[in-house]
Amino acid sequence: MQISQGKSVWGREIEPRTVLYFSLEDTLGRLQERLYRLVDAEEDPERLILQTESNGIGQGLEKQIVSFIHTYPDISLIVIDTLQKVRKTERNGSMYANDYRDIGALKELADKYGICILLVHHLRK
């Protein structure tokens, strides 16, 4: 939210930018409730785009992200919460190889469009 509102992050001043947040373990109602607890009524985070559904990596997620980038050219941050929700369900290959393949596809997008893609990953679930 800080980035979408142009507020300082970790002591650094920033310009407001559009942020796309894939909250794939939540409902829109739950997200809205959490948002209302964080923001005053007059602070509408109009540059924060919330999504509760997405395609998987290699199954349309990349096209979905590119579509958002073309629609909102000032996107600077995309958060995917959680990585496991967009991963392929293939079990062949090592865990490292699967991580490398999945994260590599997202890194390619980040590099091409000069954006940050932040992945949330749980290690104990």
Side-chain angles (χ1 to χ4, degrees):
M1 241 175 44
Q2 296 291 102
I3 293 170
S4 70
Q5 293 177 325
K7 296 182 177 180
S8 68
V9 176
W10 298 307
R12 294 182 66 188
E13 295 300 317
I14 60 164
E15 291 184 31
R17 299 288 183 157
T18 298
V19 174
L20 174 58
Y21 178 45
F22 287 100
S23 184
L24 304 175
E25 296 181 331
D26 284 312
T27 63
L28 280 176
R30 186 174 169 198
L31 281 174
Q32 193 173 36
E33 178 185 314
R34 195 176 312 147
L35 192 60
Y36 286 141
R37 281 187 272 147
L38 296 172
V39 194
D40 293 330
E42 63 274 355
E43 286 186 296
D44 181 21
E46 63 185 43
R47 291 176 180 244
L48 178 62
I49 302 166
L50 304 174
Q51 292 287 302
T52 57
E53 296 179 8
S54 77
N55 299 308
I57 296 169
Q59 300 166 335
L61 175 63
E62 295 91 326
K63 288 180 184 177
Q64 192 176 8
I65 288 173
V66 169
S67 176
F68 274 106
I69 290 170
H70 289 300
T71 303
Y72 303 94
D74 73 325
I75 278 183
S76 65
L77 173 64
I78 296 173
V79 180
I80 300 174
D81 184 4
T82 68
L83 172 61
Q84 194 60 34
K85 287 287 208 174
V86 296
R87 297 191 88 168
K88 294 178 183 173
T89 56
E90 297 175 12
R91 299 217 187 271
N92 53 356
S94 71
M95 188 168 34
Y96 175 79
N98 292 336
D99 286 347
Y100 195 86
R101 178 197 63 226
D102 292 343
I103 294 170
L106 297 175
K107 183 184 180 316
E108 210 173 288
L109 283 176
D111 291 345
K112 180 176 181 177
Y113 292 100
I115 59 173
C116 174
I117 299 178
L118 176 66
L119 302 171
V120 177
H121 183 61
H122 301 294
L123 296 176
R124 295 185 182 221
K125 281 192 171 182

